[in-house]
């Protein structure tokens, strides 16, 4: 009994992180009907950006220079350049942004010398890192997804596949492929009742994931921007006809998605170490969204928790029988079973049929 | 007010849809555009409203001017915000999974201010049916209600010109009549209306002027009443006129007479 409770608890805590990953896929799928296969790469990029901020990591100048240049080009010509010739704003902005980011990578922010307390440092670095991740997501959207607006969602999905390889290679070039020790030094909130033991890190991961998850839901369902996003996700053409700038909405959705993925990435890195190969954890989002239903936000939460429990249960009960590594496969088996019973996932949209 | 000059539009770089169309919309009128399927009526509205990009079309020649300013190539949202041109797409463009109230709010996204609530009540005044259904999902509303909602949503954007694309599509004659009454009322309140219709008789009855489209060109134009009495329009769009069967020869004669703008 104690065993079961322990497994359930651990599973739910990890599941909340998976739910956040699922949410990122779901909001992009709702907005553009494309599946974001680059989720793993967004995850490591977010984690690395946070790492750079939090641990004073710097990058040698010859790498930072390229990065600054690339970002300059992004900002000046792709983010702002359009038919209305906004390059007069774009050029100076691009130069400033490129230079700032160059400085950031080259000199580092030296947060640890500025702020001594680790919890305060986390409070500063966390939003900054998320913002940076969101910006990266938005930039990637501008370059790869915006030109495809109005085309088949399949082409967007294929683009994200290629994008994944590109981003992973870039991360490898900039930060290398060795693993970085990752220790957030958050206050210890380990829970212990009798024989039950929940470690501090998973609890923090669960709490923060749930917090971000609920913030995204509040944003989507209680604000006017959220309403515009929901309208756009139903039909881009209709939204544009009624004055909602579908292109900008897509940018925001990708930004939010990249931001949430970064949270999940930071939490997952906090369980162990950070390295490029960790991107494969992002693919755990596939069973999550397929079990929950591709277009259901609540489904992502339930799916995430189910996958987390399934993984923990497989690790606790089946792996000791000699099936080492079954933990990795178990969510996919669960996925197979769910799809046999409900092909649209547990909470896939009930299509409105007029009678 | 709005002038389209010698417009040529091509889809996917190969399919030529509009071959030099010039129209003029005067302030506070109801302009009717009729024509067979595939004549390019919808494309014209898409080009004017800036949605043509989304459908992979290009304006390769000509210009669209709103009070002297060229709006060719601007974003749909820019055109709507700056010039008040609102395009109501065909086939009831409402968001099915949002409630009727949310639909109206979403449509007012481009001009979010304190008057949105008041405007919403105004829309419910125009369409009392919607007021009763305000918390119902729009997908469950009937066709007529959805079309009314679509026009209500367009009203939320505070349009100066309303481009209506076949509002009577798939509606019962009685509902169509009600809808056209409302369009007349909107026009009386100061909104210029461009109405694209298949239902030539009903629309020409409420309109002030009309254009007849055929394969991407304008073949006839004139006051709505004139068009109603025009022998060719009666024959090809109203289905009346001489009752006996026409041969192809006569159809050709009609084609020869068309005006090339």
């Amino acid at each position: 009994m104690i065993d079961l409770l322990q497994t359930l608890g651990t599973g739910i805590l990890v599941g909340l992180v998976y739910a956040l990953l699922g949410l990122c896929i779901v909001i992009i799928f709702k907005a553009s009907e494309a599946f974001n296969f680059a989720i793993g790469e967004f995850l490591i990029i977010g984690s690395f950006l946070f790492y750079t901020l939090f641990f004073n990591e710097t990058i040698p100048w010859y790498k930072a220079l390229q990065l600054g240049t690339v970002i300059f080009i992004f900002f000046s010509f792709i983010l702002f350049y359009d038919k209305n010739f906004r390059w007069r704003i774009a050029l100076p902005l691009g130069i400033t942004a490129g230079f700032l980011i160059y400085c950031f990578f080259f000199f580092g922010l030296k947060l640890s010398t500025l702020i001594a307390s680790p919890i305060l440092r986390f409070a500063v670095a966390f939003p900054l890192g998320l913002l940076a991740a969101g910006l990266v997501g938005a930039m990637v959207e501008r370059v790869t997804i915006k030109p495809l607006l109005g085309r088949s969602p399949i082409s967007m999905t294929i683009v994200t596949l290629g994008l994944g390889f590109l981003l992973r290679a870039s991360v490898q070039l900039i930060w290398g492929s060795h693993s970085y020790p990752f220790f957030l030094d958050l206050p210890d909130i380990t829970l212990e009742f009798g024989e039950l033991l929940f470690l501090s890190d998973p609890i923090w991961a669960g709490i923060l994931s749930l917090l971000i998850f609920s913030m995204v839901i509040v944003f989507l369902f209680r604000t006017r921007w959220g309403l515009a996003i929901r309208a756009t996700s139903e039909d881009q053409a209709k939204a544009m006809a009624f004055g909602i700038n579908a292109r900008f909405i897509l940018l925001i959705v990708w930004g939010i998605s990249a931001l949430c993925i970064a949270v999940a990435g930071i939490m997952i890195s906090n369980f162990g170490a950070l390295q490029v190969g960790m991107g494969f954890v992002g693919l755990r989002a596939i069973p999550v969204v397929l079990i929950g239903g591709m277009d259901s936000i609540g489904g992502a939460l339930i799916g995430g928790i189910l996958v987390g429990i399934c993984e923990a249960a497989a690790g606790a009960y089946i792996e000791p029988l000699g099936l080492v590594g079954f933990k990795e496969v178990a969510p996919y088996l669960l996925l197979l079973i769910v799809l046999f019973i409900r092909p649209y996932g547990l909470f896939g949209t009930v299509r409105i049929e007029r009678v | 007010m709005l002038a389209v000059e010698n417009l040529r539009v091509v889809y996917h770089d190969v399919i030529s849809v509009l071959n030099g169309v010039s129209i003029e919309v005067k302030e506070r009128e109801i302009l009717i555009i009729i024509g067979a399927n595939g004549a390019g009526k919808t494309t014209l509205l898409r080009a004017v409203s800036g949605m043509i990009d989304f459908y992979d079309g290009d304006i390769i020649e000509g210009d669209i001017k709103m009070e002297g300013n060229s709006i060719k190539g601007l974003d749909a949202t820019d055109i709507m915000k700056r010039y008040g041109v609102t395009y109501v797409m065909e086939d009831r463009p409402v968001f099915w999974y949002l409630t009727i109230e949310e639909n109206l709010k979403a449509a007012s996204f481009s001009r979010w201010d304190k008057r949105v609530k008041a405007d919403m009540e105004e829309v419910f005044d125009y369409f009392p049916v919607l007021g009763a259904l305000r918390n119902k999902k729009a997908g469950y509303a009937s066709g007529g209600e959805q079309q009314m909602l679509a026009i209500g949503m367009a009203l939320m954007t505070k349009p100066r010109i309303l481009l209506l694309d076949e509002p009577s599509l798939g509606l019962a004659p009685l509902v169509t009549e009600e809808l056209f009454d409302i369009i007349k009322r909107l026009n009386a309140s100061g909104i210029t209306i461009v109405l694209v219709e298949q239902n030539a008789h009903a629309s020409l009855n409420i309109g002030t002027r009309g254009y007849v489209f055929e394969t991407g060109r304008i073949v006839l134009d004139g006051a709505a009443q004139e068009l109603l009495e025009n022998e060719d329009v009666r024959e090809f769009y109203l289905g009346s006129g001489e009752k006996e069967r026409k041969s192809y020869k006569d159809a050709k004669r009609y084609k020869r007479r068309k005006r090339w703008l």
Side-chain angles (χ1 to χ4, degrees):
Chain A
M1 189 59 204
I2 294 288
D3 254 16
L4 188 65
L5 277 180
Q6 177 75 48
T7 315
L8 276 179
T10 321
I12 288 172
L13 287 176
V14 178
L16 287 173
V17 182
Y18 290 158
L20 196 60
L21 281 179
L23 178 74
C24 303
I25 295 276
V26 166
I27 58 175
I28 283 184
F29 184 78
K30 276 175 82 99
S32 55
E33 288 188 21
F35 194 98
N36 180 11
F37 276 109
I39 181 170
E41 284 66 35
F42 276 114
L43 190 136
I44 41 178
I45 283 184
S47 313
F48 268 113
L49 283 172
F50 174 78
Y51 185 91
T52 313
L53 274 165
F54 191 70
F55 295 101
N56 297 333
E57 173 72 13
T58 53
I59 292 168
W61 66 270
Y62 53 89
K63 283 181 182 168
L65 190 65
Q66 292 157 8
L67 206 67
T69 317
V70 166
I71 285 162
F72 157 68
I73 293 170
F74 266 138
F75 264 89
S76 50
F77 289 104
I78 291 145
L79 209 55
F80 295 101
Y81 184 80
D82 61 7
K83 289 168 200 156
N84 303 342
F85 283 95
R86 283 186 225 165
W87 55 267
R88 284 184 202 84
I89 332 169
L91 221 62
L93 259 177
I95 291 171
T96 324
F99 181 71
L100 279 179
I101 289 166
Y102 172 75
C103 291
F104 157 59
F105 279 121
F106 186 51
F107 300 110
L109 214 57
K110 300 269 183 288
L111 263 186
S112 62
T113 50
L114 291 174
I115 306 165
S117 140
I119 182 82
L120 208 62
R121 187 148 56 106
F122 180 74
V124 173
F126 193 60
L128 277 178
L130 296 193
L131 208 66
L135 268 180
V136 170
M139 276 191 326
V140 165
E141 188 273 345
R142 272 292 108 139
V143 183
T144 55
I145 303 299
K146 187 192 167 200
L148 297 177
L149 192 68
R151 308 288 168 82
S152 141
I154 295 291
S155 49
M156 287 195 205
T157 308
I158 301 295
V159 161
T160 63
L161 260 180
L163 188 69
F165 287 107
L166 184 82
L167 290 180
R168 192 181 315 155
S170 331
V171 169
Q172 216 157 350
L173 268 177
I174 295 168
W175 283 286
S177 49
H178 59 282
S179 71
Y180 290 78
F182 204 100
F183 181 61
L184 284 184
D185 215 7
L186 291 168
D188 194 11
I189 48 169
T190 305
L191 284 182
E192 219 178 334
F193 328 93
E195 287 178 53
L196 282 176
L197 171 74
F198 296 115
L199 290 173
S200 170
D201 285 348
I203 294 180
W204 270 112
I207 290 175
L208 280 174
S209 301
L210 201 60
L211 191 75
I212 299 287
F213 197 100
S214 39
M215 272 161 71
V216 171
I217 286 184
V218 168
F219 177 75
L220 279 181
F221 289 92
R222 284 283 173 270
T223 64
R224 67 179 262 244
W225 281 95
L227 184 61
I229 290 173
R230 280 186 295 148
T232 312
S233 57
E234 206 183 306
D235 195 316
Q236 291 167 355
K238 289 174 189 172
M240 275 171 78
F242 286 118
I244 300 170
N245 194 343
R247 296 191 171 94
F248 192 65
I249 295 290
L250 229 69
L251 176 86
I252 289 178
V253 168
W254 276 74
I256 293 175
S257 175
L259 194 148
C260 299
I261 298 173
V263 177
I266 293 165
M267 290 303 128
I268 292 170
S269 327
N270 193 25
F271 293 157
L274 171 63
Q275 58 153 328
V276 172
M278 211 187 68
F280 292 107
V281 181
L283 294 184
R284 201 43 61 80
I286 293 175
V288 172
V289 290
L290 289 180
I291 287 174
M294 284 295 283
D295 45 10
S296 160
I297 289 172
L301 184 64
I302 305 291
I305 291 173
L306 275 180
V307 167
I309 291 175
C310 176
E311 219 182 58
Y317 296 108
I318 300 180
E319 283 201 351
L321 301 179
L323 289 163
V324 179
F326 190 75
K327 203 175 153 183
E328 308 297 320
V329 193
Y332 295 94
L333 276 180
L334 179 67
L335 167 68
L336 215 58
I337 295 164
V338 168
L339 289 191
F340 272 135
I341 303 164
R342 288 183 67 98
Y344 291 105
L346 291 178
F347 301 94
T349 304
V350 185
R351 299 256 167 233
I352 287 184
E353 300 280 349
R354 240 157 25 88
V355 283
Chain B
M1 194 174 190
L2 176 75
V4 175
E5 293 163 7
N6 192 27
L7 197 69
R8 288 185 64 201
V9 172
V10 169
Y11 281 121
H12 307 291
D13 295 330
V14 285
I15 307 161
S16 174
V17 182
L18 292 181
N19 311 309
V21 167
S22 304
I23 65 167
E24 213 206 326
V25 185
K26 290 176 186 137
E27 189 117 30
R28 305 193 116 203
E29 71 170 351
I30 301 184
L31 182 73
I32 311 294
I33 297 176
I34 54 177
N37 296 108
K41 299 167 293 177
T42 301
T43 305
L44 176 71
L45 294 195
R46 281 178 186 165
V48 170
S49 65
M51 294 282 289
I52 196 80
D53 259 8
F54 191 84
Y55 294 97
D56 200 13
D58 277 315
I59 299 174
I60 55 170
E61 212 181 302
D63 205 353
I64 304 164
K65 280 183 178 156
M66 182 79 184
E67 285 157 351
N69 306 319
S70 175
I71 59 171
K72 189 177 88 172
L74 288 184
D75 261 2
T77 37
D78 280 355
I79 292 177
M80 168 182 285
K81 274 187 206 166
R82 276 195 241 161
Y83 300 100
V85 180
T86 299
Y87 169 42
V88 182
M89 296 197 295
E90 63 190 327
D91 205 13
R92 310 193 277 265
V94 299
F95 302 112
W96 282 34
Y97 294 92
L98 303 184
T99 65
I100 284 178
E101 214 176 77
E102 282 174 333
N103 264 291
L104 293 173
K105 275 186 193 162
S108 62
F109 181 75
S110 61
R111 48 162 286 267
W112 192 269
D113 48 50
K114 288 185 181 110
R115 301 208 30 254
V116 166
K117 270 257 153 61
D119 287 340
M120 208 183 286
E121 292 309 316
E122 198 178 302
V123 170
F124 288 144
D125 272 357
Y126 269 114
F127 309 102
V129 199
L130 298 182
L133 301 171
R134 54 170 70 193
N135 289 322
K136 205 169 141 188
K137 283 214 170 111
Y140 292 118
S142 75
E145 288 155 2
Q146 284 183 357
Q147 188 61 57
M148 287 176 193
L149 177 59
I151 293 177
M153 285 161 77
L155 286 184
M156 293 299 283
T157 65
K158 287 278 156 198
R160 291 172 59 212
I161 298 189
L162 204 52
L163 312 173
L164 296 174
D165 200 348
E166 292 196 36
S168 74
L169 185 75
L171 299 187
L174 267 179
V175 182
T176 309
E177 215 169 281
E178 199 186 329
L179 205 68
F180 280 12
D181 275 348
I182 288 165
I183 291 173
K184 254 164 107 177
R185 268 172 65 198
L186 291 178
N187 180 245
S189 75
I191 301 172
T192 311
I193 284 168
V194 177
L195 181 58
V196 163
E197 261 300 337
Q198 295 285 353
N199 189 345
H201 190 76
S203 56
L204 283 174
N205 264 327
I206 65 161
T208 47
R209 280 188 322 124
Y211 287 98
V212 179
F213 265 53
E214 198 167 278
T215 55
R217 287 195 180 87
I218 293 171
V219 290
L220 264 179
D221 74 318
Q225 216 52 43
E226 266 173 48
L227 286 182
L228 263 179
E229 282 151 17
N230 184 296
E231 194 191 315
D232 293 323
V233 175
R234 284 170 74 91
E235 193 180 324
F236 293 102
Y237 296 103
L238 305 180
S240 53
E242 289 167 55
K243 287 285 180 233
E244 67 262 28
R245 212 173 151 239
K246 288 276 175 182
S247 74
Y248 265 110
K249 239 185 191 162
D250 302 320
K252 269 187 183 161
R253 186 196 57 171
Y254 163 67
K255 291 217 163 177
R256 227 177 288 134
R257 253 197 277 147
K258 69 183 151 196
R259 238 190 62 196
W260 299 66
L261 271 172

